[in-house]
Amino acid sequence: MCPDCEDFARTVLLLGQLALYADMNGADLDFVDAVSPSLAVSLPEPPPGTFPPGYDPNDGPEYPGEGW
């Protein structure tokens, strides 16, 4: 397994669990707002093979409000 694969998988799992928690009734949204950016920033580079060859995350459709 690549050196960052385990970290990547664990961080993605935590982000998913946090998203599920945020949708629960009574969730502490201040906690979600505090923790989610830290988890997202700690996400390592995706392991090789996660995206197809030549994939450019900056290449795609313009979203509403962009490109004006």
Side-chain angles (χ1 to χ4, degrees):
M1 183 177 250
C2 68
D4 292 331
C5 289
E6 187 177 339
D7 290 340
F8 181 81
R10 183 182 310 118
T11 306
V12 168
L13 177 68
L14 288 171
L15 282 166
Q17 289 175 333
L18 187 62
L20 290 173
Y21 171 73
D23 284 340
M24 291 176 50
N25 289 335
D28 182 352
L29 297 181
D30 289 334
F31 171 78
V32 174
D33 288 343
V35 172
S36 56
S38 300
L39 276 175
V41 167
S42 72
L43 194 62
E45 288 292 318
T50 302
F51 298 108
Y55 174 79
D56 182 3
N58 297 316
D59 185 30
E62 290 186 14
Y63 292 94
E66 291 184 359
W68 294 85

